[in-house]
Amino acid sequence: MLKKVALGIFAVLLVQISSFAQSNDIIIRTRHVALVLRVEKDHLRQLYLGKALEDDKEYEKISSDNNKPAYSTFGTDNLFSAAIRVVHADGNPSLDLQFVKQENEKINDSITLTGIDLKDPAYPFEVTLYYQAFYNEDIIETWTTIRHQEPASVTLYNFASASLYLNAKDYYLTQFHGDWAKEMQMEQNKLSSGIKIIDSKLGVRADEFNSPCFMLSTGKPAGENSGNVLAGTLAWTGNFRLLFEVDNANQLHIIPGMNPYASEFPLKPDTTFTTPKFIFTYTNKGQGQATRNIDRWARSFGILDGYKPRLTLLNNWETTYFDFNESKLIHLFDQAKEIGVDMFLLDDGWFGNKYPRNNDHAGLGDWQANREKLPHGIGYLVRQANNRGIKFGIWIEPEMVNPESELYHKHPDWILRLPDRPENYQRHQLVLDLSNPAVQDFVFGVIDSLKTDYPPGIAYFKWDCNRTFTDAYSPYLGKNQSALYIDYVEGLYKVFKRVREKYPHLPMMLCSGGGGRVDYGALPYFTEFWPSDNTNPIYRIFIQWGYSYFFPAIATCNHVTGSGDYSIKFKLDVAMMGKLGFDMQINKLKPSEIQFVRDAVKTYNQIKDIVWYGDLYRLISPYKSNKAALMYVSDHKDKAVIFTYLLHEELGDMHLPVRLNGLNADKKYRVKEINLPEGTQSHCPESGHIYTGDYLMTVGIHAPLRGDGSSAVFELTTE
Ligand code: DGJ
């Protein structure tokens, strides 16, 4: 967290805007969103947040009556929650931040970075607020840096990434929460007077119960295609806190940031504390538009290689668990080849010799191939896979250690655990102390050795993380334990950065016992994430639906497995709405099913570009009916793919049309039901016919859904 030089490049490149052209207003704007700040009596205040006005000059006319501090402080006149609270070196618990200057940098034609320096008039204590505006995507990222030149350390108690305000009659908050195997469940509630906090105190695997994503609607509950929505997410892979306070005047204060819980931070003089980025968009076109803004930003800036192809795969976890050997795996390589996927992914259980990883009690930390299961080693497997024309990927969980491991005995001081108390296990494991640079080297070394030791090369890593912090104490941090929650994450980022410096485009899946770690702090280092260990397609419809609000389909790994008593077609249709994979014994399927899988992989290869790079339109929510439907539309609106699902059959379902969205009303589209098992005909009356976008968005198509767990997929093409 401590950085001697904050944003050095930024400092060099900045062009100082010495004064305000028309007024004291600072306008941070994208194509449709504006955040306007005003300097009044030396203090920076938020004047406006919402839809951008056509004419920037008109912001001057907005009255200052409802202004609130652009970064709220504690200790002087603020009566509400503070974004920042510090105790100065001399014990003074108050902070007054006055405006010093504003600087703008044009990063490129569509990205502008604004830095605003604030300073305490009585202390050498400074805060810089940063706002990075992505004009085309309608996204603003905001974060702060904090530094001082006081004679001794200043303790930071609160250090949010932003304070933002909305002013409306009513506020409706959509949050995403859950647990293992039921991630990203959505709930919308009206905010009433007072404070609502969504947070994580789990340290690592921080999103297991709550996600750092939310959508806020003003005036009325959020609609998919209408209504004012502010959608935000914190780019932080550790404890976070999203605070919403409705004040006495019914104004809403939004304070997102790292969770200050048990994290008082002693900031030394001349060092810089940088808060994580809060990423948000605002739209008056409903939650669907908010998602499309975030997805477009995410593919370009939020995930690694967001516009590059992904690998379809066969994973062995739900097929073998820990019970495999070389010949079983090679058999699976053949199955991967047979169904036409790009890669085989070897999961947990391949390592440990003194303490073999034959179950989850032992082996974590000892990253050498188990000689009994894999006598010829990993290199042999890589070659065997490659000989069959498929790539080879591997699972790791490098932040963790089992007490039954050589690592545990060799480096007891690398482990987070309380002195003088019994060890507390989750899944029989403990967390390594990533605040310690020696541990960072070790964790980096796990990937680096696997990459360098096994030419022609492991093509893919699945990085897992299967427990939270409990009873956490860092032997490395000694008396400064309150820095642990933050330093752990900073240590993790250092490792991610090293991996990316050496292997910039290596595909990697972010996994955490399902979706316990899905955030835009980690995702810039990963090509994709594992949403949930629940692979039952009915549950997956809800889970994938929840993720779809903030994370693009190209990053969302959906595997077809043995879970759930549903047809292979239904399972495939559910998995194809994101990045397709398999985790099942293919040769246990009937020959007709294997044929269907083979054909479905080919079909997926034909439509995947639309799913990966297209705009998402959610059509029918599974939360509101017994069906779900969504579609992806290509950039030029010349192609689309529609997924429709019937979860539980009710009378009359056959007659309800699915009205499409996002098409060009004037274009003519041919509708075709795809992904049909060989020999079956489409029962969709529109399949094979041509309609205008107008017709399809007004009248719709009749998806032939019959029976619990049935589905239909359609492709739209233009001539
Ligand atoms: C949890 C992951 O979510 C699963 O996919 C699998 O990799 C197991 N861990 C392996 O232990």
Side-chain angles (χ1 to χ4, degrees):
M1 175 46 43
L2 299 176
K3 290 189 187 109
K4 291 267 178 214
V5 183
L7 298 172
I9 301 173
F10 177 70
V12 174
L13 295 177
L14 279 177
V15 180
Q16 187 171 333
I17 307 296
S18 49
S19 62
F20 305 95
Q22 298 294 326
S23 70
N24 283 0
D25 294 347
I26 300 168
I27 301 167
I28 292 129
R29 76 162 285 180
T30 66
R31 197 188 298 274
H32 300 109
V33 186
L35 170 65
V36 184
L37 309 172
R38 178 169 286 175
V39 181
E40 279 181 343
K41 296 190 191 127
D42 295 326
H43 289 87
L44 188 70
R45 318 273 296 173
Q46 180 188 303
L47 182 74
Y48 178 81
L49 170 58
K51 178 186 166 297
L53 298 179
E54 298 292 322
D55 181 359
D56 279 355
K57 288 204 190 89
E58 291 217 291
Y59 295 113
E60 281 178 41
K61 299 176 189 164
I62 299 178
S63 118
S64 294
D65 291 354
N66 292 318
N67 285 355
K68 291 280 179 216
Y71 195 58
S72 52
T73 60
F74 169 84
T76 53
D77 61 351
N78 177 20
L79 300 174
F80 300 98
S81 303
I84 182 166
R85 177 164 88 85
V86 310
V87 173
H88 292 281
D90 64 3
N92 186 333
S94 67
L95 183 64
D96 180 19
L97 289 177
Q98 294 194 353
F99 176 81
V100 178
K101 69 177 191 306
Q102 174 221 1
E103 296 174 319
N104 275 356
E105 181 196 359
K106 223 169 157 34
I107 306 278
N108 61 31
D109 282 351
S110 66
I111 305 174
T112 310
L113 179 62
T114 303
I116 305 171
D117 290 343
L118 310 175
K119 189 182 169 308
D120 190 319
Y123 286 87
F125 189 98
E126 295 145 32
V127 170
T128 302
L129 308 182
Y130 290 99
Y131 301 90
Q132 182 145 265
F134 296 79
Y135 187 84
N136 294 329
E137 293 79 11
D138 277 327
I139 293 283
I140 299 174
E141 297 176 347
T142 174
W143 71 98
T144 70
T145 57
I146 305 167
R147 69 204 157 272
H148 69 89
Q149 296 82 37
E150 298 192 21
S153 287
V154 170
T155 308
L156 310 184
Y157 288 90
N158 287 58
F159 29 78
S161 295
S163 29
L164 297 170
Y165 309 89
L166 292 174
N167 202 355
K169 187 166 170 292
D170 298 308
Y171 307 99
Y172 294 86
L173 175 68
T174 303
Q175 65 185 88
F176 301 81
H177 59 94
D179 199 344
W180 178 78
K182 50 175 182 180
E183 292 86 346
M184 289 300 266
Q185 302 301 299
M186 289 169 56
E187 191 179 325
Q188 181 171 210
N189 289 302
K190 187 173 173 181
L191 291 175
S192 55
S193 178
I195 294 177
K196 159 100 182 172
I197 287 177
I198 298 170
D199 76 349
S200 168
K201 302 184 189 73
L202 305 181
V204 64
R205 198 193 192 180
D207 310 341
E208 190 177 357
F209 303 150
N210 285 304
S211 159
C213 302
F214 68 90
M215 289 202 179
L216 244 167
S217 320
T218 56
K220 56 179 186 178
E224 184 64 21
N225 300 308
S226 64
N228 303 321
V229 176
L230 183 143
T233 181
L234 190 76
W236 183 242
T237 312
N239 289 354
F240 64 85
R241 185 171 83 166
L242 310 172
L243 184 148
F244 307 90
E245 181 166 19
V246 179
D247 69 17
N248 57 321
N250 205 48
Q251 251 188 306
L252 176 64
H253 305 218
I254 304 168
I255 304 186
M258 286 189 264
N259 198 342
Y261 171 79
S263 290
E264 313 80 62
F265 199 93
L267 184 66
K268 292 193 190 121
D270 288 317
T271 51
T272 300
F273 183 97
T274 306
T275 69
K277 288 177 177 171
F278 175 64
I279 299 149
F280 70 95
T281 185
Y282 182 92
T283 173
N284 58 1
K285 295 198 175 117
Q287 293 187 328
Q289 187 59 48
T291 289
R292 289 185 287 280
N293 294 349
I294 293 164
D295 280 357
R296 280 180 174 242
W297 166 87
R299 283 191 296 265
S300 296
F301 310 102
I303 58 173
L304 184 72
D305 290 338
Y307 279 101
K308 294 222 174 102
R310 299 298 191 259
L311 299 163
T312 53
L313 60 87
L314 175 66
N315 186 195
N316 69 311
W317 177 243
E318 291 191 34
T319 312
T320 64
Y321 294 101
F322 296 98
D323 181 19
F324 58 82
N325 57 28
E326 221 163 62
S327 71
K328 257 195 196 178
L329 293 180
I330 289 175
H331 223 71
L332 287 169
F333 296 175
D334 290 330
Q335 294 179 34
K337 167 92 183 147
E338 185 180 352
I339 60 171
V341 292
D342 303 314
M343 184 177 63
F344 175 80
L345 169 60
L346 173 59
D347 215 282
D348 196 356
W350 58 267
F351 48 89
N353 283 296
K354 188 166 176 194
Y355 301 94
R357 179 80 171 164
N358 291 328
N359 52 50
D360 59 14
H361 289 250
L364 275 182
D366 302 345
W367 298 102
Q368 296 77 36
N370 178 275
R371 286 185 290 273
E372 220 164 283
K373 284 181 187 172
L374 308 173
H376 298 95
I378 297 294
Y380 174 76
L381 292 177
V382 175
R383 286 191 296 279
Q384 288 299 317
N386 291 175
N387 288 346
R388 286 161 175 78
I390 54 168
K391 294 180 192 290
F392 180 87
I394 204 161
W395 177 97
I396 51 170
E397 192 182 2
E399 294 157 80
M400 302 285 162
V401 62
N402 285 126
E404 287 183 45
S405 71
E406 292 184 70
L407 183 73
Y408 176 92
H409 296 288
K410 203 168 155 201
H411 290 292
D413 54 323
W414 282 10
I415 299 167
L416 294 178
R417 55 184 165 175
L418 287 168
D420 306 322
R421 292 199 192 277
E423 288 175 353
N424 187 338
Y425 306 127
Q426 283 176 6
R427 211 193 188 205
H428 318 286
Q429 66 195 54
L430 293 164
V431 187
L432 292 177
D433 182 2
L434 265 165
S435 69
N436 182 342
V439 177
Q440 294 163 19
D441 288 346
F442 170 81
V443 173
F444 170 74
V446 174
I447 285 202
D448 196 34
S449 311
L450 283 164
K451 273 302 286 173
T452 46
D453 288 354
Y454 302 114
I458 295 175
Y460 182 96
F461 282 82
K462 174 178 179 182
W463 182 312
D464 207 345
C465 167
N466 281 293
R467 70 158 291 170
T468 57
F469 278 3
T470 61
D471 309 75
Y473 172 94
S474 157
Y476 178 76
L477 291 174
K479 293 211 166 108
N480 189 17
Q481 291 301 314
S482 64
L484 176 60
Y485 287 111
I486 296 170
D487 278 7
Y488 184 95
V489 179
E490 292 294 343
L492 184 67
Y493 289 160
K494 280 187 191 146
V495 177
F496 289 165
K497 274 186 195 125
R498 274 173 80 179
V499 171
R500 285 307 168 203
E501 271 156 28
K502 189 150 179 198
Y503 307 105
H505 300 290
L506 174 67
M508 296 213 304
M509 181 203 281
L510 181 61
C511 172
S512 185
R517 181 187 262 177
V518 185
D519 63 77
Y520 283 114
L523 277 170
Y525 304 100
F526 288 81
T527 46
E528 55 222 67
F529 68 89
W530 182 236
S532 179
D533 282 345
N534 190 338
T535 53
N536 177 308
I538 293 284
Y539 292 103
R540 266 301 182 116
I541 287 175
F542 286 92
I543 292 168
Q544 292 166 194
W545 189 267
Y547 280 107
S548 83
Y549 282 75
F550 279 86
F551 302 98
I554 189 169
T556 312
C557 297
N558 304 334
H559 292 184
V560 178
T561 73
S563 175
D565 192 13
Y566 299 98
S567 70
I568 190 77
K569 168 169 167 60
F570 183 61
K571 290 179 177 185
L572 260 144
D573 286 352
V574 172
M576 281 164 74
M577 70 155 94
K579 206 218 96 173
L580 177 66
F582 295 83
D583 198 339
M584 71 192 314
Q585 199 79 43
I586 303 289
N587 60 5
K588 296 256 165 73
L589 295 171
K590 293 185 208 136
S592 60
E593 291 174 325
I594 298 179
Q595 179 60 44
F596 175 70
V597 170
R598 238 187 266 127
D599 292 345
V601 171
K602 284 190 196 130
T603 303
Y604 182 73
N605 286 336
Q606 280 159 19
I607 60 162
K608 65 189 181 190
D609 282 6
I610 310 170
V611 175
W612 291 350
Y613 313 124
D615 278 329
L616 169 66
Y617 290 84
R618 286 177 292 259
L619 306 173
I620 303 174
S621 167
Y623 281 89
K624 293 190 180 146
S625 75
N626 60 339
K627 290 183 224 53
L630 67 157
M631 65 189 284
Y632 298 94
V633 181
S634 69
D635 219 8
H636 300 294
K637 295 188 185 290
D638 52 352
K639 285 184 201 151
V641 185
I642 302 123
F643 295 92
T644 60
Y645 309 104
L646 180 63
L647 286 77
H648 312 288
E649 188 164 29
E650 286 170 11
L651 278 176
D653 280 329
M654 279 296 285
H655 305 292
L656 293 178
V658 179
R659 291 191 183 89
L660 308 189
N661 201 351
L663 302 173
N664 181 332
D666 301 329
K667 271 197 172 138
K668 287 196 172 142
Y669 297 90
R670 180 181 294 279
V671 178
K672 186 178 172 208
E673 185 176 353
I674 56 171
N675 218 28
L676 285 162
E678 205 179 53
T680 54
Q681 299 288 321
S682 173
H683 295 293
C684 167
E686 291 83 12
S687 184
H689 301 287
I690 293 174
Y691 302 87
T692 60
D694 180 38
Y695 180 95
L696 295 169
M697 293 191 288
T698 311
V699 180
I701 57 174
H702 295 79
L705 303 173
R706 197 154 252 181
D708 296 359
S710 56
S711 52
V713 182
F714 303 89
E715 187 181 18
L716 301 188
T717 47
T718 45
E719 311 286 86

